[in-house]
Amino acid sequence: MTQNVLILPGDGIGPEIVTEAVKVLETAKQKFNLNIELDNALVGGAAYDEFGTPLPEVTMQKAEKADAILLGAVGGPKWDELDDRELRPEKGLLGLRSGLELFGNLRPAILYPQLADASSLKPEVVSGLDILIVRELTGGIYFGQPRGIRELENGERQGYNTYVYSESEIRRIAKVAFESAQKRGKKLCSVDKANVLEVTVLWREIMNEVAKDYPDVELSHMYVDNAAMQLVRAPKQFDVMVTGNMFGDILSDAAAMLTGSIGMLPSASLDKNNKGMYEPCHGSAPDIAGQGIANPLATILSAAMMLRYSLNESAAADAIEQAVSNVLDQGLRTADIYSDGMKKVSTAEMGEAVVAALANA
Ligand SMILES: NC(=O)c1ccc[n+]([C@@H]2O[C@H](COP(=O)([O-])OP(=O)(O)OC[C@H]3O[C@@H](n4cnc5c(N)ncnc54)[C@H](O)[C@@H]3O)[C@@H](O)[C@H]2O)c1
Ligand SMILES: CC(C)[C@H](C(=O)O)[C@@H](O)C(=O)O
Ligand SMILES: [Mg+2]
């Protein structure tokens, strides 16, 4: 049966990095005889410019029908001044996540040994690093109601958001995290702010309750401020971390730098049936867009995750990850992961090198 993959390039460096990931997917398709069909649609600022909305109906319909989605990135200064916040590019991304109920966000931070020099930390602190951040993606303060900016009686304005999680929302992300930990090092650290926020007191309570169903997984709890510090001090103490939407957003960008660059961190956003959207953790990088220097590897690795989690093509996924390792062995580096003695390459050169390594594997 043909599996349909929707490609959403988005904005900024999005189209540049997605072009390379699509080349890699097309190569995998031929090499592994995959029965996949690729389609395209607009999201984010590109969709706003064309349709006046960051998530047009036609994109949502295609996304609903697709077996998996590969997205570049959305947003940029061009749209930051839009008065109606609902029309901003980021709303297109959030609309896809919540509309498709992609609550389980997996963000693996793995240090390729070849990039030990590029990591922000000393080699002995990061060598062998392999962490999985499980981020709740469709709830928490990102989606809680009420929200907005209101006028107070004294005439000044007040901005407000609401941080809420229901028991069922916590339970379902807990299950994703415990099951992930079972398949890995069997250690799960739940990150919260239960010393201050009631919503995370409940989070901690439910984590403890769900833990009873996974006696082989060792559960610990950590406050988010300490977790940020520990990620930078001694990241290898972690195996799987689970946390809410906003803390996960922040901690995953911090974890990215341990792997050498935000351009190395892929992600999967899954619903309860493992249908998913795959995207690099980074944004549209307006500061380097159009220069052909962005690192496409996080997007290429996201395509590998897509083959593994949603399309059941793990041999092709393994081969893409091996091809990425091979190009790093060859000394090829985009500017963000460059170090002395390596060969600096463009976005397209990096993509083509992965294609060649995959084709010759
Ligand atoms: N998933 C997404 O679509 C997503 C994620 C984060 C931010 N954004 C949006 O992107 C825009 C820019 O946000 P930002 O600047 O805070 O974050 P960003 O991740 O776009 O960029 C942060 C820094 O990392 C660098 N960088 C990011 N990706 C890179 C890559 N592949 N290769 C090399 N360097 C890379 C950028 O050049 C920049 O210096 C905003 O509109 C934001 O809302 C979108
Ligand atoms: C662009 C933005 C809405 C998004 C988020 O905050 O989730 C991004 O930072 C991410 O990490 O995917
Ligand atoms: Mg982010």
Side-chain angles (χ1 to χ4, degrees):
M1 209 177 64
T2 305
Q3 304 200 84
N4 295 302
V5 175
L6 181 64
I7 307 289
L8 300 173
D11 310 319
I13 61 168
E16 301 169 42
I17 52 182
V18 164
T19 298
E20 302 314 314
V22 167
K23 286 182 199 162
V24 172
L25 269 179
E26 295 286 4
T27 308
K29 181 175 167 179
Q30 297 213 325
K31 192 171 174 80
F32 291 88
N33 211 7
L34 307 180
N35 194 358
I36 57 172
E37 287 293 334
L38 308 187
D39 192 5
N40 269 272
L42 295 176
V43 71
Y48 173 79
D49 288 348
E50 182 82 18
F51 295 101
T53 164
L55 184 53
E57 189 87 342
V58 53
T59 300
M60 195 61 197
Q61 277 170 6
K62 285 184 178 190
E64 276 163 0
K65 281 203 199 113
D67 297 290
I69 303 162
L70 183 68
L71 183 137
V74 298
K78 184 178 172 196
W79 304 281
D80 281 350
E81 303 309 318
L82 282 175
D83 283 340
D84 184 348
R85 298 195 57 82
E86 292 308 309
L87 296 179
R88 295 210 181 162
E90 290 79 0
K91 285 285 178 176
L93 178 62
L94 296 172
L96 278 169
R97 289 175 180 171
S98 83
L100 300 172
E101 291 188 72
L102 306 173
F103 64 90
N105 186 212
L106 310 183
R107 298 189 159 193
I110 297 170
L111 175 70
Y112 279 83
Q114 302 91 324
L115 295 184
D117 284 352
S119 171
S120 298
L121 298 186
K122 294 187 205 106
E124 63 269 27
V125 179
V126 278
S127 70
L129 181 83
D130 181 350
I131 304 176
L132 177 67
I133 297 180
V134 178
R135 169 188 177 194
E136 200 292 325
L137 201 61
T138 54
I141 197 163
Y142 272 48
F143 292 95
Q145 293 290 348
R147 61 190 296 153
I149 299 174
R150 61 192 163 205
E151 198 162 319
L152 299 177
E153 275 175 16
N154 67 5
E156 73 165 334
R157 290 179 306 152
Q158 183 185 56
Y160 58 102
N161 288 84
T162 306
Y163 190 178
V164 279
Y165 270 120
S166 64
E167 291 185 69
S168 58
E169 283 176 313
I170 303 168
R171 198 165 281 119
R172 68 181 182 176
I173 194 69
K175 284 186 181 155
V176 171
F178 277 102
E179 278 163 26
S180 300
Q182 261 182 337
K183 293 184 200 131
R184 298 172 38 106
K186 300 195 165 36
K187 267 171 55 181
L188 177 63
C189 178
S190 171
V191 177
D192 62 35
K193 190 74 187 176
N195 50 347
V196 178
L197 303 173
E198 285 77 5
V199 50
T200 68
V201 171
L202 184 66
W203 176 281
R204 195 176 273 221
E205 202 179 288
I206 302 292
M207 286 290 155
N208 285 330
E209 194 185 302
V210 175
K212 294 185 188 128
D213 296 334
Y214 301 88
D216 52 335
V217 175
E218 180 197 319
L219 173 68
S220 60
H221 302 276
M222 198 178 275
Y223 298 135
V224 62
D225 44 354
N226 184 24
M229 187 273 278
Q230 295 294 342
L231 260 181
V232 179
R233 187 189 74 87
K236 284 193 278 180
Q237 69 185 281
F238 298 112
D239 174 26
V240 180
M241 301 174 91
V242 62
T243 190
N245 208 340
M246 185 162 69
F247 296 161
D249 179 42
I250 299 164
L251 292 179
S252 57
D253 264 34
M257 276 323 290
L258 310 180
T259 72
S261 166
I262 183 100
M264 294 301 299
L265 213 79
S267 81
S269 308
L270 303 172
D271 76 0
K272 62 180 190 308
N273 301 315
N274 277 1
K275 171 174 168 164
M277 182 158 81
Y278 298 80
E279 49 173 323
C281 291
H282 61 72
S284 58
D287 53 338
I288 58 166
Q291 299 178 31
I293 58 169
N295 185 346
L297 294 180
T299 317
I300 291 170
L301 292 168
S302 299
M305 289 184 88
M306 175 174 83
L307 289 165
R308 178 171 298 117
Y309 287 100
S310 287
L311 305 180
N312 279 318
E313 296 287 357
S314 54
D318 291 346
I320 292 174
E321 285 163 359
Q322 188 55 51
V324 168
S325 184
N326 290 352
V327 302
L328 295 175
D329 281 339
Q330 293 162 28
L332 305 187
R333 304 283 188 270
T334 43
D336 57 313
I337 49 174
Y338 179 77
S339 56
D340 283 350
M342 298 294 134
K343 181 165 186 267
K344 200 180 271 184
V345 294
S346 67
T347 310
E349 285 166 336
M350 184 59 106
E352 275 147 28
V354 176
V355 164
L358 180 62
N360 297 329

